[in-house]
Amino acid sequence: MASAEFTYSDVAEHNTKQDLYMVIHDKVYDVAKFVDEHPGGEEVLFDVGGQDATEAFEDVGHSDEAREILDGLLVGTLKRQPGDPSPKTPAPQTTATAGAQTGTGLTAYAFLLVGGAVAFGIYKYLQANSQQ
């Protein structure tokens, strides 16, 4: 599929609306053609454009359909070099902390999931009506 290799420096050069790359799980994606269609708005893409967006992507909890769309935007892989930032992993939580945050976390996740589904439904509805 995509055999090109990019460094963080290469990816960082692609940070405009017409030319927007990001790294997710050490794969490089050209999201420029998806900016106007992104249900969360273009600002969230610009916030991580030209950078490693893995944490932001996973924090939202994207659907299987979103991951399929992402597969279509793949342009290459990240070639890690000495001095590059390492992938961010969440800090381990103690049992007490994890238990205290579970209710809030589930509520936020449910809100994002429902909001995303509503936004996607509106997008599909508007898209279907604009073709008539």
Side-chain angles (χ1 to χ4, degrees):
M1 184 182 253
S3 60
E5 286 189 328
F6 298 88
T7 64
Y8 271 117
S9 177
D10 296 332
V11 173
E13 294 174 5
H14 302 272
N15 60 8
T16 66
K17 185 173 182 174
Q18 295 76 27
D19 182 26
L20 190 62
Y21 283 15
M22 62 183 56
V23 176
I24 300 174
H25 295 296
D26 287 349
K27 293 181 181 177
V28 179
Y29 299 93
D30 180 354
V31 297
K33 58 186 169 189
F34 190 67
V35 168
D36 292 328
E37 299 173 29
H38 188 258
E42 61 186 31
E43 296 82 18
V44 296
L45 296 178
F46 295 142
D47 286 345
V48 292
Q51 303 173 46
D52 190 328
T54 303
E55 186 175 11
F57 183 82
E58 292 301 341
D59 282 351
V60 172
H62 283 88
S63 66
D64 289 340
E65 184 174 359
R67 292 174 190 277
E68 288 175 18
I69 291 169
L70 193 61
D71 287 342
L73 305 174
L74 183 67
V75 293
T77 58
L78 181 67
K79 181 180 181 183
R80 292 193 172 273
Q81 297 182 327
D84 282 349
S86 58
K88 293 181 181 176
T89 56
Q93 296 181 347
T94 64
T95 306
T97 305
Q101 293 179 347
T102 301
T104 304
L106 289 176
T107 303
Y109 179 75
F111 179 76
L112 286 172
L113 185 63
V114 170
V118 169
F120 182 73
I122 291 170
Y123 166 75
K124 286 301 217 179
Y125 174 79
L126 292 173
Q127 188 179 31
N129 285 339
S130 69
Q131 294 175 355
Q132 293 178 359

